[in-house]
Amino acid sequence: MRIGIDKMAFATTNDYLDLVELAKERGVDPNKFTIGIGQDLQAVVPPTQDIVTLGATAAKKLLTPELEKNISTVIVATESGIDNSKASAIYIKHLLGLSDFTRTVEMKEACYSATAAIQFAKGVVALNPQETVLVIAADIARYGLNTPGEVTQGAGAVAMLISQNPHILTLEDTTVAYSKDIMDFWRPLYATEALVDGKYSTNVYIEFFLQTFTRYQQLTGRELEDFAALTFHMPFTKMGKKGLEGLLKDRNDEVAQRLRTQLTASQLFSRQVGNLYTGSLYLSLMSLLQNSDLRAGSRIGLFSYGSGAEGEFYTGILEDGYEHYMNNIQEELKHRHQVSVAEYEKLFSSQLGMNDRDIEFDVTNDPLPFVLKGQKDHQRIYEAK
C-alpha cells in the first residue's frame, strides 16, 4: 500500500515586516539579516490570530465535503500551545465543522513534532486504509523585541492530508530518528518567548543531520546520486545551507550542484515568511515543489529537527501531477500588507499571551476566515467569519 502526503496548504498572517527596515531601526547592517541569516521578510501576528486560526485557515484550503467524510483524526503539531490541557486540534476541528466522531490530539517536541505526527498518521492509515488524517503544523515564533533572535521570528501553518494513494509524495519505509537530552533551545512554562543558545543549536542541528543521514545510508545503501533534492527544517534559511554544506563539504560535482540549486528553491518561501517552527520543513518542501522542475518519480530527502533535541531523516517519492494539490503560495504572499517597525512592535506587544483578563479584539480589519475575538471567563473565543 502506498501512503503519503495527498494534499498540502499553507497559511500565514496578512501582515509582514521588511527586515531591511528592521535592521536600519536596530542599527544593524541589513546584510547581516538578508545574507548572514538569509531572511528578507517576516510574518507579523496581529492579536486576532494564533495557531488555531492559522491552522484552521490552512486546513480549510484543503477540504471538500467529500474529503471531510474520510478524516478520522486531526493532529496539531506545535510548540505554541494555547492551553496546558486542551488540545488546539479540538478548536480547529470545531471551526472546520468536522464530524464529532473525529480523534483530536496535540503533539509537542519543539520543531520536530509535525514529522512524528506524519509517521503516526501513516500508521493510522496502514491500519485503516479508508481513513485520512489531517496533520497541521502551526506555530508562532517569538524571541522578543531587540533580541538576537528577533530576526528569526515568523508565523504560519502547513496543513497536510495523509492517505493511501497520495497525490504529492509517497513516503518510503526507512526512517531514522535520533534524540538526545540537550538544552539548545527551550521555553519554560512561565515564558512567552523562547530561550536559545544559537551557535550551540546550529552545531547540534548539523550533527543530528549527519548522524541520521549516515545511518540512513547504512540501512539502505543509497548515495547522494539517488536524491533529486534534500529539504531541511529552516528556522532561518541559512540553517538549511549549513546542514547541506556540512554533508557536501568541498564536493562540487554535478550532484552537489544540483542539490545546492534545489536547496535555493526550497528556501524562497521561508525567506518571505520567517520561522514556522514545526511547519518550517514542510514550507521548504512546498517551496521546493513550487519553484523547481522536479519530475514524478524523484526521490526527496527530508530532514526534520527539533531542539531539545530530536532529528529524523526520511524520504518520499514524488507523484505525477503533484503541483495540482497545493495552494499557490507565491501568489498569496503578494497580497499581504507591509507594516512599519513601529506597527510591528505594537502588534507584537498586543498578543493575548498569558493574560488572565477578559479582553475583546477588534476583528474588523482581519481578512482571514478565522479570528480570535478575545477571551472571556478564561476561555478563548473564536469566530468563523
Side-chain angles (χ1 to χ4, degrees), residues 183-233:
M183 298 300 289
D184 60 329
F185 170 106
W186 68 103
R187 182 165 66 85
L189 288 175
Y190 54 78
T192 57
E193 283 81 47
L195 303 174
V196 60
D197 184 336
K199 182 174 290 188
Y200 179 44
S201 188
T202 298
N203 291 337
V204 173
Y205 173 102
I206 296 170
E207 176 199 345
F208 275 45
F209 169 56
L210 296 178
Q211 289 280 4
T212 55
F213 186 78
T214 300
R215 178 63 172 163
Y216 174 86
Q217 289 184 299
Q218 292 169 348
L219 294 173
T220 64
R222 293 182 182 130
E223 300 295 338
L224 280 177
E225 289 79 0
D226 297 311
F227 294 90
L230 298 176
T231 54
F232 293 83
H233 164 58

Side-chain angles (χ1 to χ4, degrees), residues 294-311:
L294 292 176
R295 298 178 180 179
S298 297
R299 174 175 289 110
I300 298 173
L302 299 96
F303 173 62
S304 180
Y305 177 77
S307 295
E310 186 155 3

Side-chain angles (χ1 to χ4, degrees), residues 9 15 25 29 33 39 120 127 131 138 145 148 150 232 242 269 309 312 314 324 332 340 367 369 379:
D15 298 324
E25 183 68 25
D29 180 354
F33 291 172
Q39 298 298 125
F120 296 165
L127 289 172
E131 296 183 3
L145 303 176
E150 184 177 28
F232 293 83
K242 288 177 181 290
F269 293 156
E312 184 165 343
Y314 70 110
H324 302 300
E332 293 183 8
S340 66
Q379 301 176 43

Side-chain angles (χ1 to χ4, degrees), residues 187-362:
R187 182 165 66 85
L189 288 175
Y190 54 78
T192 57
E193 283 81 47
L195 303 174
V196 60
D197 184 336
K199 182 174 290 188
Y200 179 44
S201 188
T202 298
N203 291 337
V204 173
Y205 173 102
I206 296 170
E207 176 199 345
F208 275 45
F209 169 56
L210 296 178
Q211 289 280 4
T212 55
F213 186 78
T214 300
R215 178 63 172 163
Y216 174 86
Q217 289 184 299
Q218 292 169 348
L219 294 173
T220 64
R222 293 182 182 130
E223 300 295 338
L224 280 177
E225 289 79 0
D226 297 311
F227 294 90
L230 298 176
T231 54
F232 293 83
H233 164 58
M234 291 186 193
F236 53 93
T237 64
K238 196 66 173 287
M239 184 77 100
K241 178 177 173 61
K242 288 177 181 290
L244 181 61
E245 294 303 330
L247 178 66
L248 297 179
K249 300 187 185 302
D250 296 328
R251 185 168 172 172
N252 201 32
D253 58 10
E254 182 180 346
V255 171
Q257 288 304 317
R258 183 185 74 240
L259 294 176
R260 291 185 176 106
T261 297
Q262 302 296 19
L263 175 71
T264 299
S266 74
Q267 293 172 321
L268 295 178
F269 293 156
S270 295
R271 291 189 72 98
Q272 300 176 62
V273 176
N275 193 352
L276 301 189
Y277 286 159
T278 53
S280 292
L281 169 60
Y282 300 99
L283 180 60
S284 72
L285 175 61
M286 294 183 75
S287 184
L288 171 70
L289 298 183
Q290 295 187 19
N291 293 290
S292 66
D293 56 356
L294 292 176
R295 298 178 180 179
S298 297
R299 174 175 289 110
I300 298 173
L302 299 96
F303 173 62
S304 180
Y305 177 77
S307 295
E310 186 155 3
E312 184 165 343
F313 184 83
Y314 70 110
T315 59
I317 302 298
L318 204 55
E319 294 294 328
D320 187 34
Y322 65 87
E323 64 273 14
H324 302 300
Y325 295 89
M326 298 174 284
N327 64 311
N328 187 327
I329 295 177
Q330 188 60 60
E331 185 61 31
E332 293 183 8
L333 292 178
K334 291 178 182 177
H335 301 289
R336 292 182 298 170
H337 167 250
Q338 182 176 347
V339 298
S340 66
V341 174
E343 290 172 315
Y344 144 71
E345 292 178 337
K346 181 178 180 180
L347 290 170
F348 185 93
S349 301
S350 300
Q351 300 296 303
L352 185 57
M354 293 185 176
N355 197 330
D356 64 354
R357 296 181 290 105
D358 289 353
I359 188 168
E360 184 174 355
F361 297 129
D362 180 2

Side-chain angles (χ1 to χ4, degrees), residues 42-59:
Q42 183 178 104
V44 174
V45 186
T48 50
Q49 292 294 317
D50 65 6
I51 60 165
V52 168
T53 58
L54 291 171
T57 297

